[in-house]
């Protein structure tokens, strides 16, 4: 049986991240709520709501956001997280192009390029595994703020997790 992630609107990491950027953009434009438990703090429930909603949110590429170069430690607001999600989506797409170019030249490029995982399913599993693991960095998880979400995303990009399929 196929995994739940395979039934989502997004089949790629960058599509998912661009969907999240689009979702956050609609929330910032006042079309819908951010579901924050307090200003600047979406909380676990708000994060879960966003992840559930982004499953069916179409990607929304934005050239300005793509070139933002936002770093996770620069994220303080939902708008900053939107820019960071776009930065990650752009980085993933670049990484996949470079990986494919190396492969085409007969060079080894890693299983997923410089990202730990190349599929949405494995990337989300890696994120979940890291959140559930025991690490000194977990002190930064609570309370769930826009910055802590960005830090979680940055770790999921590189966290080596081998899911059992």
């Amino acid at each position: 049986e196929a995994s739940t992630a395979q039934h989502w609107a997004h089949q790629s990491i960058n599509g998912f991240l661009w969907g999240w950027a689009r979702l956050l953009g609609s929330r910032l434009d006042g079309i819908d709520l951010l579901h924050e438990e307090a200003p600047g703090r979406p909380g676990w429930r708000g994060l879960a709501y966003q992840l559930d909603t982004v499953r069916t949110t179409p990607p929304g590429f934005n050239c300005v956001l793509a070139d933002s170069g936002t770093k996770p430690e620069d994220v303080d607001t939902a708008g900053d997280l939107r820019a960071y999600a776009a930065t990650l989506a752009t980085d993933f797409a670049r990484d996949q192009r470079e990986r494919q170019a190396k492969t085409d030249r007969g060079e080894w490029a890693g299983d997923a390029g410089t990202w730990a995982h190349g599929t949405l399913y494995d990337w989300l599993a890696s994120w979940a595994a890291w959140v559930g693991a025991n690490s000194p960095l977990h002190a930064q998880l609570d309370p769930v703020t826009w910055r802590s979400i960005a830090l979680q995303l940055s770790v999921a990009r590189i966290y080596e997790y081998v899911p059992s399929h």
Side-chain angles (χ1 to χ4, degrees):
E1 183 170 306
S3 69
T4 302
Q6 292 170 332
H7 296 290
W8 290 11
H10 309 287
Q11 296 299 312
S12 68
I13 294 170
N14 59 328
F16 177 83
L17 289 167
W18 278 118
W20 201 348
R22 182 179 195 167
L23 174 70
L24 286 169
S26 71
R27 303 300 157 96
L28 294 169
D29 292 341
I31 296 170
D32 205 346
L33 301 173
L34 284 168
H35 294 276
E36 293 178 300
E37 64 182 22
R41 288 179 49 185
W44 289 112
R45 187 173 302 217
L47 174 58
Y49 182 85
Q50 286 179 40
L51 292 174
D52 185 56
T53 305
V54 79
R55 291 180 310 116
T56 57
T57 303
F61 181 77
N62 180 310
C63 291
V64 173
L65 289 176
D67 293 333
S68 71
T70 304
K71 296 185 178 1
E73 57 272 9
D74 298 334
V75 173
D76 289 317
T77 66
D80 295 339
L81 182 62
R82 180 179 185 224
Y84 184 60
T87 297
L88 284 176
T90 303
D91 182 63
F92 181 79
R94 175 207 48 79
D95 186 68
Q96 294 301 291
R97 284 190 307 272
E98 289 175 3
R99 182 178 85 56
Q100 187 60 53
K102 284 182 179 180
T103 301
D104 290 348
R105 292 190 304 267
E107 300 172 12
W108 186 79
D111 295 331
T114 61
W115 281 57
H117 301 284
T119 68
L120 180 59
Y121 175 84
D122 289 343
W123 181 70
L124 289 171
S126 176
W127 182 6
W130 183 80
V131 168
N134 187 10
S135 164
L137 292 175
H138 284 84
Q140 300 173 15
L141 286 177
D142 285 314
V144 178
T145 63
W146 299 114
R147 180 174 292 162
S148 74
I149 294 170
L151 291 170
Q152 290 176 46
L153 291 173
S154 70
V155 170
R157 178 186 174 277
I158 59 171
Y159 188 69
E160 290 289 340
Y161 168 70
V162 180
S164 56
H165 295 280

